[in-house]
Amino acid sequence: MKHLMTALLLCMAFVSCGNKQKADAEETKKADSTQTDSLANEVSQVKIFGNPQTDFYVATIQDDGSVTLKFNRKLCDKLAQSMDIPNRLGDETKVEGLAEKCKDIKMANLGNDVNPFLVMLTEKGHVAILSLLDALSTGDMTCSGSLHGLDNIVSLKEISDIDGQGVFAVTKDGEEEWVDSNGELEGYYLMDNFEMHLSRDWNITMSDTNIDYHHTGTFCMDHLRDADSPGTFTRSLVANINGKTCRIAVSHEDGGDNYRFTFKADKDFPLVQNKPLSFVRNDCSHTAD
């Protein structure tokens, strides 16, 4: 009888141990599953846009909200050749100048002509753009940063009609705001050794080979009411360069490629300070390599 009781106790111990091992195995399996789901969720934060075979590039929103572009070399070379510009881009690169996390992207043509843009919506409701043509010709992947006047944006809406193609930024109230590029004033403006480049995606570069000056920033258009002529407005560029604001009045001369810019600047721009200067617009830089 004593031996029988011992045998029963041993069997119960083995069963209890087996149940514990089974429970531990199930907990481990559950933990592994939870970890796998967590990893899957992390991977799902990466968003990919575009077709590598038919688009100029594939855009990827990374886990940290940054944006990278992987280019279709063949299509980009053809585009550069058709526009008579160099292709200075590599195979893959990161978009610079995006201060906020990106959450959505539209790859769109802005306007009637060939004008491909990357349009980015940030988590804070702002919009930034990058011109592929400017990126190709300069190799500079700096975007516009948050566009002036576009706030509280919740989505992007691509359109295409008889007037051309483009993107609307939709506000939280359902209003649609046009995402605009700098089409009218895009180009290189030259005067002696001074050069100003206004890009399609609202970047500005000022260079002067005489004083080894080369600085970049962003700008927007502003229309001020002319106090001397009621009902008329003066167009200005409001540029932010090195953290300082520079207002530049602009007028079109002779209906051609001659423009007059009046710089309301301080000592940072000694060459053009408070002078109305005439510039000739060119399609390419005369000072860059």
Side-chain angles (χ1 to χ4, degrees):
M1 186 69 179
K2 184 177 180 181
H3 292 298
L4 180 59
M5 291 297 295
T6 301
L8 287 172
L9 289 173
L10 287 174
C11 286
M12 291 176 64
F14 283 132
V15 169
S16 176
C17 181
N19 288 336
K20 185 177 184 305
Q21 289 177 344
K22 183 178 180 181
D24 290 344
E26 289 178 351
E27 286 296 323
T28 301
K29 184 178 180 181
K30 184 178 179 180
D32 290 342
S33 177
T34 301
Q35 185 177 11
T36 301
D37 290 341
S38 177
L39 290 173
N41 288 333
E42 290 180 10
V43 173
S44 70
Q45 298 303 311
V46 175
K47 300 179 182 178
I48 300 175
F49 304 81
N51 187 314
Q53 303 301 320
T54 59
D55 292 322
F56 293 119
Y57 56 85
V58 171
T60 302
I61 301 177
Q62 304 292 347
D63 288 328
D64 61 357
S66 65
V67 177
T68 56
L69 302 185
K70 187 172 184 179
F71 298 99
N72 182 320
R73 171 63 64 177
K74 185 177 181 180
L75 291 181
C76 285
D77 284 343
K78 285 185 177 181
L79 175 62
Q81 185 177 9
S82 68
M83 302 299 292
D84 195 26
I85 58 175
N87 182 358
R88 302 181 187 274
L89 292 174
D91 294 328
E92 187 171 3
T93 187
K94 178 183 177 181
V95 175
E96 302 293 341
L98 188 63
E100 301 169 1
K101 292 183 178 181
C102 182
K103 73 172 187 177
D104 193 19
I105 279 174
K106 293 293 183 186
M107 299 160 57
N109 196 75
L110 301 186
N112 289 313
D113 300 324
V114 177
N115 197 24
F117 270 82
L118 174 71
V119 183
M120 296 163 283
L121 173 63
T122 73
E123 290 184 351
K124 294 185 178 180
H126 296 124
V127 176
I129 62 175
L130 176 73
S131 165
L132 179 58
L133 294 180
D134 281 315
L136 283 172
S137 63
T138 65
D140 187 357
M141 287 291 294
T142 303
C143 71
S144 64
S146 298
L147 291 180
H148 179 73
L150 293 181
D151 303 302
N152 299 316
I153 305 302
V154 296
S155 65
L156 299 173
K157 177 182 176 182
E158 191 172 356
I159 64 164
S160 180
D161 55 31
I162 58 174
D163 295 325
Q165 297 171 293
V167 173
F168 279 124
V170 184
T171 70
K172 63 180 181 180
D173 297 322
E175 296 180 357
E176 296 181 347
E177 304 286 347
W178 183 258
V179 178
D180 203 5
S181 65
N182 171 39
E184 180 186 358
L185 293 176
E186 183 275 328
Y188 294 85
Y189 295 87
L190 309 175
M191 189 198 69
D192 299 328
N193 294 303
F194 182 83
E195 177 176 290
M196 179 173 64
H197 177 216
L198 302 178
S199 74
R200 295 172 179 84
D201 48 18
W202 305 105
N203 280 292
I204 180 172
T205 302
M206 291 184 177
S207 303
D208 189 333
T209 56
N210 277 345
I211 58 175
D212 192 26
Y213 179 90
H214 182 87
H215 291 290
T216 62
T218 59
F219 73 99
C220 65
M221 292 296 299
D222 191 18
H223 295 76
L224 297 179
R225 188 179 297 277
D226 193 332
D228 297 327
S229 303
T232 62
F233 293 84
T234 300
R235 289 194 308 167
S236 294
L237 307 181
V238 181
N240 187 304
I241 301 175
N242 296 341
K244 295 185 178 181
T245 300
C246 173
R247 181 175 288 276
I248 310 168
V250 56
S251 60
H252 197 181
E253 296 185 339
D254 306 324
D257 282 327
N258 294 323
Y259 287 78
R260 179 175 289 270
F261 293 93
T262 303
F263 290 74
K264 300 295 183 181
D266 57 19
K267 58 184 176 60
D268 293 310
F269 309 103
L271 175 66
V272 295
Q273 181 178 353
N274 297 323
K275 299 176 184 177
L277 303 174
S278 295
F279 290 76
V280 177
R281 181 165 63 178
N282 289 263
D283 294 329
C284 61
S285 172
H286 285 202
T287 62
D289 294 334

